[in-house]
Amino acid sequence: MFIIGELINGMYREVAEAIKNKDKGVIQRIAKEQVEAGSEALDLNCGPASRDPVGDMVWLVQAVQEATDKILCLDSTKINVIEAGLKVVKNKAIINSTSADKDKLDIIIPLALKYNTGLIGLTLDKKGVPQDKERRLELAAAIVADCQEKGFPLENLYIDPVVLPVNVAQAQLEDTLKVLLEFKIISQPPPKTVMGLSNVSQGTKQRSMINSTFLVMAVAHGLDAAILDPLDKYLMDSLITAELILNKQIYCDSFLQAYRKR
Ligand code: THG
């Protein structure tokens, strides 16, 4: 599993405060903790309260890459925020994200090509998040087709079926899992798949249990990458164990210790 640490997000009060006060130490500590816990990439999101998302994204990128050289996943719906961040990224980046809207794809895919980044494509459009698996598949196919047309390598494309909270859209979660398998037959090579895992438990009281169970099920449906809280030990141990059961890790009696810190 390609793990993208989700904790540098202005949705968290501590992070929002640190961004506001330009307190690099807090951000760099959270970056290092997530890397130590197994993240290969770090999501950077200024949060809904940011007054200057362009300036804040540039500051976040610069602060984080002083602490780690991991892949940076620039998380914003605003194209100018993404581009400002890309201009200062030194190593590898992933654009998080584009919708399936043609006008957005026409700007974002060339940007991803110009800066040689990965790209996350959400299966939503101006009409919103689909209610069913068929529409999610249609939107994924539209993103894949546009990437093929523009010469963007599908190995660098991550399709995200858009996870909604279990207390809001319970009836859709099974479809969200099943469509992961269907994304894989859209093209050759297939796109990769990613989920914002913690969305599933927002507003619930058993977050770790819900996140872990959903992640294990997603692993069984071939999920390639997850935006998650890598500091949740129960979640990470569940992930390692799911990969063990699917023969993606070699068994030994101390497999949890052996695989936790790779
Ligand atoms: N897909 C993609 N990117 C994404 C998402 C996605 N980026 C943002 C989000 N979804 C993934 N990241 C988070 C980060 C935090 C939370 C959920 C998803 C979260 N935060 C607490 C909450 O809302 O309860 C914040 C409160 C707190 O604990 O302080 O749950 O789906 N491509």
Side-chain angles (χ1 to χ4, degrees), residues 115-145:
Y115 288 93
N116 190 26
T117 72
L119 175 62
I120 297 178
L122 303 175
T123 60
L124 56 77
D125 63 5
K126 290 194 179 87
K127 290 182 216 137
V129 179
Q131 300 285 324
D132 58 28
K133 165 156 105 30
E134 286 65 36
R135 184 72 186 141
R136 282 187 164 87
L137 188 59
E138 259 174 56
L139 292 173
I143 296 169
V144 168

Side-chain angles (χ1 to χ4, degrees), residues 140-201:
I143 296 169
V144 168
D146 217 64
C147 284
Q148 283 175 317
E149 200 181 298
K150 293 181 165 71
F152 183 80
L154 297 178
E155 308 87 278
N156 297 342
L157 175 67
Y158 293 81
I159 297 290
D160 181 335
V162 187
V163 175
L164 299 173
V166 65
N167 62 359
V168 173
Q170 187 172 5
Q172 283 197 42
L173 289 177
E174 188 183 4
D175 267 10
T176 311
L177 291 168
K178 286 190 171 154
V179 80
L180 292 173
L181 296 170
E182 298 181 12
F183 290 158
K184 291 292 182 184
I185 50 178
I186 293 176
S187 59
Q188 196 50 252
K192 296 202 164 77
T193 54
V194 65
M195 276 178 166
L197 189 70
S198 305
N199 300 7
V200 75
S201 66

Side-chain angles (χ1 to χ4, degrees), residues 4-14 43 45 73 75-76 95-97 120-122 158 160-164 194-204 207 211 227-228:
I4 304 169
E6 75 182 6
L7 296 175
I8 302 180
N9 189 314
M11 230 194 288
Y12 295 100
R13 184 190 298 193
E14 186 189 24
D43 197 63
N45 184 317
C73 194
D75 188 353
S76 174
I95 296 176
N96 183 16
S97 54
I120 297 178
L122 303 175
Y158 293 81
D160 181 335
V162 187
V163 175
L164 299 173
V194 65
M195 276 178 166
L197 189 70
S198 305
N199 300 7
V200 75
S201 66
Q202 270 178 318
T204 70
R207 297 206 65 170
N211 289 343
I227 304 168
L228 52 71

